[in-house]
Amino acid sequence: MDRLCSSYPEILFIPTSMTNNIIYGSSKFRSKQRFPVLSYYHDSSKAAICRSSQPLAGLTKKCKEDILLLQAIAKSSHNSPQLVIVDTRPKINALANKAKGKGFEDTKNYPFCKFYFSGIENIHVMRESRQKLFQAIYSNHDSYISFMNAVDNSGWMKHIKAILDAAIFVSQTILCGTNVLVHCSDGWDRTSQTCALASLFLDPFYRTIHGFIILIEKDFLSFGHRFSTRCQHLAGDNKNVAPIFLQFLDCVWQVLRQFPASFQFNELFLIYISKNVYSCEYGTFLYNSVSERKKNKYFK
């Protein structure tokens, strides 16, 4: 897939009826060529979570191949002919991207789709929120109420709730037997968070130690979450640094605290993973994609 999308894994799953021309056409119509592919299939409901990046729709553009691909994904459901598209961004952000030649799917061109915005903020808002959270934690406070007000003013918990709400909506839609397409702007930050959490909610395998490792490999490492850039593993401009994976672990912790008996691991495992994201002791989280790890002769 390097020819088509260098940030995607080598093995992808798409509807069997799709031709190379349709796939290539759809990839050219999606940001970073990240066309819709399978992320998770729920065996009981026979519904699938797919993921992609935003379409390059602008104000008026449409793509026949992209429409055919999404239509095939919708028809692959055993229970519903409709496809639910979850744009994880706030609507105002998506509209701004639309004015720049990107944006989101117009249901006039995709009449078989139902659209939903989940309102998760971008990396710049998340970075600022983390800074305010750290300030709240490490500052001296006169009282517990003062501390909690500072935490609340950071907006961190509001962002965590938005991510959890998006994942809950996706998982509920899957349980109803309807296929879902999840995307944000480029499909490697909010999309990874949402797809991974929804998979965690739907499948107890991902709540085991081994399964959780596979979940991270599936929705973050293989699908090109930019660990090197977001975690600033190399010195340089910090404008693209963001706590995306840390937020994912926080979301998992929130669920773990409520349903500890549903998990094979506890918070110590999450802390261990978090430390290794930044220490890179094992190299698992080096670079921004599978292709970069192979190019630099490190493939885990």
Side-chain angles (χ1 to χ4, degrees), residues 123 126-127 130-131 133-134 156 189 193 216 220-221 225-235 238 240-250 269-287:
I123 61 170
M126 299 308 189
R127 181 174 62 251
R130 180 181 63 175
Q131 291 170 348
L133 179 66
F134 285 176
W156 183 263
D189 291 314
Q193 290 174 329
I216 292 171
F220 284 91
L221 291 162
H225 176 63
R226 300 172 65 80
F227 278 102
S228 182
T229 300
R230 297 291 182 255
C231 301
Q232 202 173 17
H233 290 157
L234 300 174
N238 66 355
N240 289 313
V241 173
I244 302 303
F245 189 70
L246 182 63
Q247 284 182 320
F248 165 70
L249 294 179
D250 194 341
F269 184 53
L270 300 178
I271 292 170
Y272 180 78
I273 292 173
S274 177
K275 287 181 177 179
N276 280 285
V277 168
Y278 291 93
S279 71
C280 294
E281 181 179 353
Y282 302 110
T284 303
F285 302 102
L286 289 175
Y287 304 108

Side-chain angles (χ1 to χ4, degrees), residues 7-8 31-32 34 39 51-54 86-90 97 118-127 159 162-164 166-167 182-198 215-216 218-232 239-249 251 277-278 287-289:
S7 59
Y8 264 3
S31 179
K32 311 297 183 184
R34 293 170 65 90
S39 171
R51 57 181 293 168
S52 69
S53 61
Q54 66 182 330
V86 176
D87 190 325
T88 58
R89 300 169 293 182
N97 276 319
S118 63
I120 304 172
E121 296 290 352
N122 63 31
I123 61 170
H124 310 294
V125 174
M126 299 308 189
R127 181 174 62 251
H159 300 316
I163 299 166
L164 286 168
V182 181
H183 72 68
C184 49
S185 296
D186 293 324
W188 50 43
D189 291 314
R190 290 167 280 199
T191 300
S192 290
Q193 290 174 329
T194 304
C195 289
L197 282 170
L215 180 65
I216 292 171
K218 174 175 76 77
D219 276 311
F220 284 91
L221 291 162
S222 293
F223 273 105
H225 176 63
R226 300 172 65 80
F227 278 102
S228 182
T229 300
R230 297 291 182 255
C231 301
Q232 202 173 17
K239 66 180 181 180
N240 289 313
V241 173
I244 302 303
F245 189 70
L246 182 63
Q247 284 182 320
F248 165 70
L249 294 179
C251 288
V277 168
Y278 291 93
Y287 304 108
N288 288 325
S289 65

Side-chain angles (χ1 to χ4, degrees), residues 48-62:
I49 300 174
C50 297
R51 57 181 293 168
S52 69
S53 61
Q54 66 182 330
L56 305 180
L59 298 175
T60 58
K61 293 179 183 177
K62 65 179 180 178

Side-chain angles (χ1 to χ4, degrees), residues 64-196:
K64 178 181 68 175
E65 292 83 2
D66 194 69
I67 293 170
L68 288 173
L69 177 53
L70 264 61
Q71 193 170 42
I73 292 173
K75 289 181 177 179
S76 69
S77 170
H78 291 245
N79 302 293
S80 172
Q82 190 177 60
L83 174 65
V84 173
I85 300 177
V86 176
D87 190 325
T88 58
R89 300 169 293 182
K91 186 175 182 179
I92 189 170
N93 294 25
L95 287 169
N97 276 319
K98 202 172 186 68
K100 297 176 182 177
K102 298 180 181 180
F104 52 93
E105 297 83 355
D106 188 338
T107 51
K108 292 179 181 178
N109 299 325
Y110 302 85
F112 50 89
C113 293
K114 184 177 181 180
F115 208 85
Y116 173 82
F117 287 105
S118 63
I120 304 172
E121 296 290 352
N122 63 31
I123 61 170
H124 310 294
V125 174
M126 299 308 189
R127 181 174 62 251
E128 183 180 352
S129 178
R130 180 181 63 175
Q131 291 170 348
K132 290 180 179 179
L133 179 66
F134 285 176
Q135 290 172 3
I137 293 171
Y138 293 110
S139 297
N140 292 323
H141 297 278
D142 297 332
S143 64
Y144 178 73
I145 294 177
S146 173
F147 167 71
M148 291 306 298
N149 284 336
V151 171
D152 184 56
N153 290 334
S154 73
W156 183 263
M157 297 310 300
K158 178 187 72 173
H159 300 316
I160 294 299
K161 182 180 183 300
I163 299 166
L164 286 168
D165 285 345
I168 290 169
F169 177 81
V170 170
S171 59
Q172 289 175 337
T173 305
I174 292 296
L175 289 174
C176 290
T178 302
N179 290 340
V180 181
L181 173 65
V182 181
H183 72 68
C184 49
S185 296
D186 293 324
W188 50 43
D189 291 314
R190 290 167 280 199
T191 300
S192 290
Q193 290 174 329
T194 304
C195 289

